């Protein structure tokens, strides 16, 4: 090989090694916190260090698997996030359908307004929302928190749903309209089944964003028995800096389980394309 070729090969090797090293650093940034959670949940003397457990034990899980600490907050989280996700997906589908299927000069301004709404920090609107909820007697209620959860996720859900809905051929609906189906029937029986992966993406996105939200339920719910797991996890941080690290890690694993199960259950749909099959043939 010529000196020039050797120099180019050496540069490529150096760049590849630098890229691999950078990827390893990024991977370590993700793996180390997960390793700490798993190892600390089994460590009777867990602390902030990532280390092998000083003997394996399930005492941390035994300590948290009670009604007051885990089961009631998890049930509250499932009720809040599940109901709000269902409400968000239904409203997003109904709002995205006319935006996708009918052309209007107001479509673009409306979509830009929705996009702007997704960029609003939730902390900036919590004070007026809190004052409004006090006036309409929705403070410290599950239904009020569900409505606000749904409203906060609805703009981005509409944006996503509309983009997925654009991928379903309108000719399929026109054939259904010819057979006497209405717009709502074609949406429910044709469009939504064909954009199943899109609905799954919107569902997972909304549920995950609500599941990890601490600020909203902390502000809108006052009764301890109604607090979701995202708020009750704060109880593991004691006074004067004392933290039950082992129990915190064990609770984190249990707290993450519903989200992982949700993703596993619909992973097959997330990996698939639109189920058009041969629907537009002929």
């Amino acid at each position: 090989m010529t000196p020039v070729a050797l120099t180019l090969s050496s540069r490529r090797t150096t760049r590849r090694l630098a890229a691999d090293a950078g990827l390893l650093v990024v991977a370590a940034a993700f793996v180390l916190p997960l390793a700490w959670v798993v190892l600390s949940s089994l460590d009777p003397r867990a602390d902030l260090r990532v280390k092998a457990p000083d003997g394996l034990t399930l005492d941390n899980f035994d300590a948290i698997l009670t009604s007051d600490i885990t089961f009631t907050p998890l049930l509250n989280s499932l009720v809040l996030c599940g109901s709000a996700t269902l409400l968000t997906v239904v409203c997003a589908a109904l709002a995205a359908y006319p935006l996708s299927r009918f052309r209007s000069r107001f479509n673009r301004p409306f979509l830009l307004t929705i996009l702007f709404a997704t960029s609003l920090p939730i902390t900036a609107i919590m004070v007026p929302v809190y004052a409004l909820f006090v006036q309409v007697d929705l403070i410290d209620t599950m239904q009020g928190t569900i409505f606000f959860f749904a409203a906060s996720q609805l703009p981005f859900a509409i944006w996503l749903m509309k983009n997925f809905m654009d991928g379903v051929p309108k000719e399929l609906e026109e054939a259904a309209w010819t057979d006497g189906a209405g717009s709502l029937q074609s949406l429910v029986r044709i469009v939504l089944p064909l954009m199943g992966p899109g609905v799954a993406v919107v569902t997972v996105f909304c549920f995950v964003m609500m599941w990890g939200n601490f600020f909203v339920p902390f502000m809108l719910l006052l009764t301890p028995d109604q607090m979701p797991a995202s708020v009750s996890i704060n109880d593991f941080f004691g006074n004067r800096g004392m933290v039950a690290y082992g129990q915190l890690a064990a609770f984190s694993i249990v707290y993450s389980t519903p989200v992982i199960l949700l993703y596993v259950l619909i992973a097959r749909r997330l990996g698939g394309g639109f189920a058009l099959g041969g629907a537009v043939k002929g």
Side-chain angles (χ1 to χ4, degrees), residues 34 37 74 211 249-262:
L34 296 177
V37 169
L74 278 181
W211 188 261
F251 185 85
S252 299
I253 291 177
V254 177
Y255 175 56
S256 304
T257 301
V259 176
I260 297 174
L261 289 177
L262 175 64

Side-chain angles (χ1 to χ4, degrees), residues 64-264:
I64 67 160
L65 292 179
T66 64
S67 177
D68 294 338
I69 297 177
T70 299
F71 299 131
T72 298
L74 278 181
L75 180 60
N76 293 336
S77 292
L78 289 172
V79 171
L80 284 174
C81 300
S83 302
T85 299
L86 178 62
L87 182 61
T88 302
V89 172
V90 171
C91 292
L94 294 175
Y97 183 74
L99 292 173
S100 175
R101 290 303 188 251
F102 304 107
R103 297 292 177 259
S104 170
R105 61 178 180 176
F106 299 107
N107 281 13
R108 181 176 174 81
F110 184 74
L111 288 172
L112 291 177
T113 302
I114 289 176
L115 186 62
F116 171 75
T118 63
S119 64
L120 290 175
I122 202 166
T123 52
I125 61 176
M126 280 309 300
V127 172
V129 166
Y130 185 90
L132 175 63
F133 273 40
V134 170
Q135 292 180 3
V136 298
D137 200 24
L138 283 178
I139 201 70
D140 196 28
T141 62
M142 296 288 280
Q143 60 268 28
T145 308
I146 289 171
F147 289 150
F148 184 77
F149 261 148
S152 63
Q153 296 300 321
L154 192 57
F156 197 69
I158 294 175
W159 185 273
L160 280 178
M161 194 76 76
K162 190 264 181 188
N163 289 331
F164 284 116
M165 202 170 287
D166 288 342
V168 179
K170 190 176 181 181
E171 291 77 9
L172 299 176
E173 290 181 85
E174 292 174 348
W177 295 339
T178 303
D179 294 335
S183 297
L184 184 60
Q185 288 178 314
S186 63
L187 170 64
V188 174
R189 296 183 179 182
I190 297 175
V191 178
L192 291 180
L194 291 177
M195 55 175 288
V199 176
V201 169
V202 175
T203 301
V204 171
F205 174 82
C206 294
F207 187 85
V208 170
M209 294 300 293
M210 297 174 191
W211 188 261
N213 194 304
F214 168 84
F215 190 65
V216 170
F218 180 76
M219 291 291 295
L220 299 181
L221 295 175
L222 307 177
T223 305
D225 291 340
Q226 297 189 95
M227 291 297 179
S230 59
V231 177
S232 66
I233 195 173
N234 188 56
D235 295 339
F236 293 100
F237 295 87
N239 297 325
R240 301 179 181 179
M242 299 297 295
V243 182
Y245 291 108
Q247 296 179 21
L248 174 62
F251 185 85
S252 299
I253 291 177
V254 177
Y255 175 56
S256 304
T257 301
V259 176
I260 297 174
L261 289 177
L262 175 64
Y263 177 77
V264 170

